[in-house]
Amino acid sequence: KGGKYLIVGPSGGGKSTLLKLLRKYFSPTKGKISIYGKNLRDIKKDQYFSLVANVEQQVFIFEDTLRNNITLYKDYTDEEIAKAIEAAGLTSFVEQLPDGLETIIYDNGKNISGGERSRVVIARAMLNKASILFMDEAFASLDMERAKEIEKTILDLEGVTVINVSHVIFKDTKDRYDRVLKVKKTVQ
């Protein structure tokens, strides 16, 4: 719990399949997956999904205020929102916006950068108090400096288990992971 894990491997090596298993999209045909000491098969989907947040390469941003894109129309205190924004590394971005959290974000985030879109999704995860963060090639479409900033933000999250599936590996952050796992497809 709270560990940071990087999963690497070649295309077609099984990274996405492993992530689908961990996300409970389907069950393993052999063996078992344990989450915090419990067999994942025995955990109800709604209970499990309340613990989980996903950051994908393609994030979903809708045309509305930044606040609503972060809160997804749920009620949170200003303090909870501020903590999530800080944890996601969005504080200075929000402060420089003319209308702050009430700034309108255009369809799919056309008026914000890829890094900012990713951080909005991370802020959503923090608001939901997710204890497990799955990342699937979340840095692939970002410039290297922005991707490093976001990765450092994620690696600094306390008490959150991070499982990052990525082709993008930075030497200066690789050692901050508790484990780097290499997945390679085997023919049986």
Side-chain angles (χ1 to χ4, degrees), residues 2 12 14 17 19 33-34 36 38 44 52 86 91 113 137 152 159 162-163 182 186:
T17 300
L19 204 52
I33 298 171
S34 294
Y36 305 152
K38 294 183 181 177
K44 294 183 188 307
V52 172
E86 184 178 342
T91 304
S113 74
E137 299 295 347
K152 286 176 183 174
V162 175
I163 302 190
K182 185 166 185 166
T186 58

Side-chain angles (χ1 to χ4, degrees), residues 2-6 87 122 133 135 139 147-164 170 172-179:
K4 311 297 188 250
Y5 304 97
L6 176 63
I122 294 166
L133 180 60
M135 301 178 62
F139 307 136
K148 281 183 189 179
E149 277 180 40
I150 294 170
E151 186 173 35
K152 286 176 183 174
T153 299
I154 288 163
L155 292 171
D156 287 340
L157 295 173
E158 292 182 25
V160 177
T161 302
V162 175
I163 302 190
N164 180 14
F170 302 117
D172 51 337
T173 55
K174 183 179 176 184
D175 292 338
R176 293 192 55 204
Y177 285 92
D178 294 301
R179 286 188 69 191

